[in-house]
């Protein structure tokens, strides 16, 4: 075993940073044994040393923590762990480090979803690597599984619960019949949701992660901004309850599918109904999971905590150890897995994405209206799987639920416009995708 | 991209071999792109070329298939895929290949559970590597996840459904109230179980896989023969039904736990009750899953097909590609993860393994007997969690179910001996472990 330790620099000392420095400090001997050489955190850059809470400094050795950028950049670390987040200073610093020949570990999905193509290319150009396991699925080693463990496969589909905040809210709504507003408020009180929850509940965070995973899975280049996202904030409790009657659970899924080898890829993030018997329907609370369908392996799934100090630190530190041991950089240099090695994805047009749907609308004079609605759907080539209507009082508006077989989103959208124009319909028609997984078809 | 292909030799052309050669033939371009160099199957050794079925030869190029061992061994492959199985000729051939400086890919859990220490050591000595993802969990990349993705963790527990035959039988018994004999017969008719099902249903296969996974997870050396195994063949349908009433599903689990860093490891394979709300309880039919608890990441789970032509080929071919790309050998050489780099495990003595238990016995004169039984248990320091008894007719034997809190197996065994000696008890007392996962405690 070599005695010279591999030095690691860290930028940012938030909650994850506290976990990362704790792991390196308390597991130093174990890590040295596992990778055959010692590693140490040699420098940590923060905005203001005085503002770092005590519990995050506890495992940082004397002289390591600094708010002097020159001091940080002139030190001799080989691996930079970027824990700032965002696409501003983090982008500048990661570029600077790559150009200085340092490897990068990052949990920053926003950065990779926006600048991944450029940054991965810069890493290749400078003979260093970027490891990013923590950017998707928190502590779940799903990127490692996808890149190496499933390499023999043509991937047909990815279906991910990639945001713990949303899954917590949906679990509370489903299991305890809470409204969205109540569930969100509780999530905020418990620290599962930010004061401004937009990035999470809008599906934007999931869309960023999906772009990273889909780029790897399909060997293409997809940016986060190319993934349309619909959030959980549009959901009405009654739809979750009707879905449950039909045998479905609601999940916010990032979905990416490719029906033919090298064919176009469809990507989208939206609330989806999944069959209660699907394993992913049993992923509750703030936990995450990624289902991956490979043409050889079939259905696989990866499950774990998608956020939090220690789960995220688990992925960050594992990445750093894999780089420090030497193999990760060799794999990064040799293999053509990252977006910079691949062409921009040919994406299925939004209106051509096919899926099953759940539709719900409030209608008067039920028998006549069902005939009209199904005629409109039939004219758009959308066939009906099931119709559900509870007993109602004559003359009152009553909710009617219809599930469809596979339909193109464009056809569905134009059918919805026609249905909403019917005078017997009160208000908007609600449509929710029913996810049928790749291997089911 | 270098043009010189990496040559691969294969020994054995069973059902998995057919899948492996098909993947290499049909995905050659994709693989070359992914790993930056072409790979090809250059030689395949079988016992008798004439006996290879047509569908397994379909994707093998002319001149590649041979039953001439000299022809095979004198050819210039760099990677040997061993698909013979067993610990006889496979052992000889793997040793021969390692000594000749060839990397090994194997799905052979029996071989690694018995000779892993020696073979991994031989690989290190000869500067080559052994990849074995397919040996545990079929197509699930759980070894990749464990070795690299969870490297930052102290592993506290492994809980694996590692045998699809057993899980299929238990699912049929649970969901369709079939007896063990009926479920086994159907599994055999459907090809999920061998004519001689011993290795699967006895838990021996699971024990072999557990020894491989636990060795990696805990950084120790455990041989397959050190893992005690109780099979599914001892199960009575009524216990599955009583368990269901109490909120449990039955699974054959390989379990490995370590309560303290570098402390002793407990390993065992046995039918276990798991809470229906645990994700692993929702793994049905022939599917496999491995739950891993890491001290930083918490609960993670890996799910997929544990056997079959294409799932197993997925893992075998991915392994070969990872070796061909160059990084796997570098990781194998640098890191100290395999049993040859680690000490023999200190194992928790069988009688000291602690767990909750389900107990069922048939008793006459119920009130008195429950008092006697609970007194015996109390005297052994075993406390009761629940008691269940259905209405019965006076004077008849009636089943009584007791669940316990954590108890040492030695204490339980001696309590059982005393209970079975009570004159009010008819026949044997049945005990089934209730699995409480590492993070629950």
């Amino acid at each position: 075993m070599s005695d010279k330790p591999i030095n690691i620099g860290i930028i940012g000392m938030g909650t994850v940073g506290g976990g990362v420095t704790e792991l390196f400090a308390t597991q130093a001997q174990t890590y040295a044994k596992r990778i055959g050489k010692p590693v140490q955190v040699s420098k940590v850059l923060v905005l203001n040393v005085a503002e770092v809470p005590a519990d995050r400094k506890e495992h940082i050795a004397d002289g390591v923590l600094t708010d002097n950028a020159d001091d940080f950049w002139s030190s001799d670390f080989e691996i930079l762990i970027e824990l700032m987040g965002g696409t501003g200073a983090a982008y500048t610093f990661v570029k600077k480090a790559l150009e200085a020949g340092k490897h990068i570990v990052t949990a920053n999905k926003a950065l990779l979803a926006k600048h991944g193509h450029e940054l991965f290319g810069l890493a290749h150009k400078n003979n260093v690597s970027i490891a990013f396991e923590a950017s998707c699925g928190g502590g779940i080693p799903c990127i490692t599984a996808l890149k190496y463990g499933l390499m023999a496969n043509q991937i047909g589909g990815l279906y991910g619960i990639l945001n713990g905040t949303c899954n917590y809210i949906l679990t509370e709504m489903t299991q305890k019949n809470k409204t969205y507003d109540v569930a969100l408020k509780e999530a905020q009180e418990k620290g599962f949701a930010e004061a401004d929850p937009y990035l999470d509940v809008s599906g934007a965070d999931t869309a960023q992660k999906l772009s990273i995973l889909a780029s790897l899975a399909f060997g293409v280049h997809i940016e986060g901004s190319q993934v349309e996202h619909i959030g959980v904030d549009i959901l009405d409790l009654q739809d979750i309850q009707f879905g449950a009657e039909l045998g479905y659970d609601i999940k916010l899924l990032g979905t990416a599918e490719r029906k033919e080898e090298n064919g176009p890829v469809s990507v989208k993030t939206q609330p989806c109904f999944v069959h209660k018997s699907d394993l992913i329907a049993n992923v509750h609370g703030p936990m995450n999971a990624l289902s991956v369908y490979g043409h050889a392996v079939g259905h696989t799934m990866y499950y774990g905590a998608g956020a939090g100090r220690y789960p995220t630190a688990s992925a960050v530190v594992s990445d750093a150890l894999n780089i420090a041991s030497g193999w990760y950089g060799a794999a990064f240099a040799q293999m053509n897995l990252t977006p910079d090695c691949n062409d921009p994805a040919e994406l299925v047009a939004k209106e051509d994405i096919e899926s099953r749907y759940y539709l719900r609308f409030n209608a008067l004079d039920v028998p006549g209206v069902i005939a009209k609605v199904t005629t409109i759907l039939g004219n758009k080539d959308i066939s009906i799987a099931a119709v559900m209507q509870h007993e109602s009082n004559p003359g009152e508006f009553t909710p009617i639920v219809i599930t469809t077989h596979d339909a193109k989103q464009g056809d569905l959208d134009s059918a919805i416009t026609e249905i909403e124009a019917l005078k017997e319909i009160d208000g908007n028609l609600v449509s929710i995708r029913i996810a049928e997984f790749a291997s089911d078809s």
Side-chain angles (χ1 to χ4, degrees), chain A:
Chain A
M1 192 187 293
S2 130
D3 284 320
K4 188 171 169 290
I6 304 283
N7 283 332
I8 294 175
I10 299 179
I11 304 187
M13 193 43 58
T15 179
V16 174
V20 167
T21 50
E22 180 177 334
L23 287 178
F24 277 117
T26 58
Q27 301 295 325
Q29 274 194 296
T30 300
Y31 295 162
K33 169 81 194 289
R34 286 183 186 168
I35 67 166
K37 54 182 102 167
V39 285
Q40 65 181 15
V41 176
S42 60
K43 220 56 162 172
V44 176
L45 179 65
V46 293
L47 223 52
N48 188 334
V49 166
E51 285 175 4
V52 177
D55 70 305
R56 295 183 193 162
K57 282 193 278 210
E58 196 183 335
H59 297 283
I60 301 178
D62 288 346
V64 167
L65 191 64
T66 180
D67 45 22
N68 180 326
D70 290 339
D71 180 22
F72 181 78
W73 288 105
S74 65
S75 71
D76 69 342
F77 56 87
E78 295 173 42
I79 300 168
L80 173 69
I81 298 180
E82 181 273 304
L83 296 175
M84 308 174 68
T87 57
Y91 171 66
T92 311
F93 288 162
V94 166
K95 268 182 82 164
K96 179 174 173 153
L98 289 171
E99 283 163 352
K102 296 174 194 303
H103 298 272
I104 302 290
V105 176
T106 181
N108 190 333
K109 61 263 173 182
L111 180 67
L112 296 179
K114 188 171 178 188
H115 298 294
H117 187 272
E118 179 193 1
L119 296 174
F120 287 119
L122 203 56
H124 275 122
K125 193 178 145 201
N126 288 283
N127 294 313
V128 286
S129 62
I130 302 177
F132 50 103
E133 184 62 83
S135 66
C136 303
I140 311 168
C142 54
I143 289 178
T144 300
L146 202 52
K147 281 166 76 180
Y148 312 112
L150 300 179
M151 190 184 288
N153 289 269
Q154 293 285 348
I155 303 300
L158 298 180
Y159 307 86
I161 296 175
L162 300 171
N163 185 280
T165 306
C166 290
N167 206 51
Y168 175 83
I169 291 172
L170 295 182
T171 301
E172 292 295 300
M173 290 176 78
T174 302
Q175 295 184 347
K176 296 174 192 162
N177 292 320
K178 292 175 184 165
T179 63
Y180 170 76
D181 291 331
V182 169
L184 171 62
K185 188 154 172 286
E186 288 183 6
Q188 288 170 322
E189 285 163 6
K190 291 196 176 185
F192 290 142
E194 308 279 344
D196 176 0
Y198 171 79
L199 266 181
D200 291 321
V201 302
S202 69
D205 172 84
T206 299
Q208 289 171 348
K209 293 167 178 167
L210 182 66
S211 74
I212 296 169
L213 293 168
S215 292
L216 292 175
F218 300 114
V220 293
H221 167 214
I222 302 173
E223 291 195 8
S225 59
Q226 294 178 278
V227 182
E228 191 197 359
H229 55 90
I230 302 172
V232 297
D233 46 346
I234 54 105
L235 285 171
D236 190 322
L237 182 57
Q238 67 173 313
D239 292 308
I240 294 177
Q241 292 165 335
F242 284 131
E245 279 189 61
L246 292 163
Y248 298 112
D249 266 351
I250 191 86
K251 298 291 172 194
L252 182 77
L253 291 186
T255 63
E257 294 178 308
R258 181 153 70 179
K259 297 195 173 173
E260 294 158 37
E261 267 185 47
N262 303 315
V265 175
S266 66
V267 286
K268 193 162 177 186
T269 291
Q270 67 200 116
C272 292
F273 280 124
V274 294
H275 292 277
K276 283 180 198 287
S277 60
D278 286 324
L279 192 60
I280 205 166
N282 295 289
V283 173
H284 300 305
M287 301 301 279
N288 283 16
L290 179 69
S291 274
V292 181
Y293 287 80
H295 89 296
V297 76
H299 181 195
T300 64
M301 197 179 93
Y302 311 89
Y303 166 88
R309 171 178 283 201
Y310 294 108
T312 307
S314 165
V316 166
V317 173
S318 295
D319 271 353
L321 294 171
N322 286 321
I323 292 177
S325 86
W327 75 260
Y328 186 88
F332 189 87
Q334 174 62 34
M335 298 198 289
N336 299 302
L337 303 179
T338 43
D340 57 311
C341 307
N342 289 292
D343 295 328
E346 182 193 343
L347 294 179
V348 176
K350 177 186 160 182
E351 60 272 21
D352 290 334
I353 296 182
E354 282 186 278
S355 185
R356 295 190 58 204
Y357 281 94
Y358 158 104
L359 311 175
R360 191 259 305 160
F361 49 91
N362 294 319
L364 210 56
D365 183 26
V366 173
V369 110
I370 288 184
K372 284 185 185 177
V373 167
T374 54
T375 301
I376 291 171
L377 291 170
N379 288 341
K380 306 287 180 192
D381 235 15
I382 300 170
S383 65
I384 311 296
V387 177
M388 183 173 80
Q389 182 215 327
H390 290 178
E391 287 213 4
S392 60
N393 296 321
E396 284 182 12
F397 282 97
T398 186
I400 296 173
V401 170
I402 291 177
T403 61
T404 76
H405 291 296
D406 265 355
K408 288 190 174 174
Q409 195 178 325
D411 293 336
L412 185 79
D413 287 346
S414 72
I416 289 175
T417 305
E418 288 185 35
I419 293 168
E420 288 179 339
L422 291 174
K423 64 179 188 306
E424 299 89 341
I425 305 291
D426 177 39
N428 295 330
L429 180 150
V430 171
S431 69
I432 295 174
R433 182 172 178 175
I434 299 172
E436 298 274 343
F437 298 126
S439 74
D440 303 339
S441 58

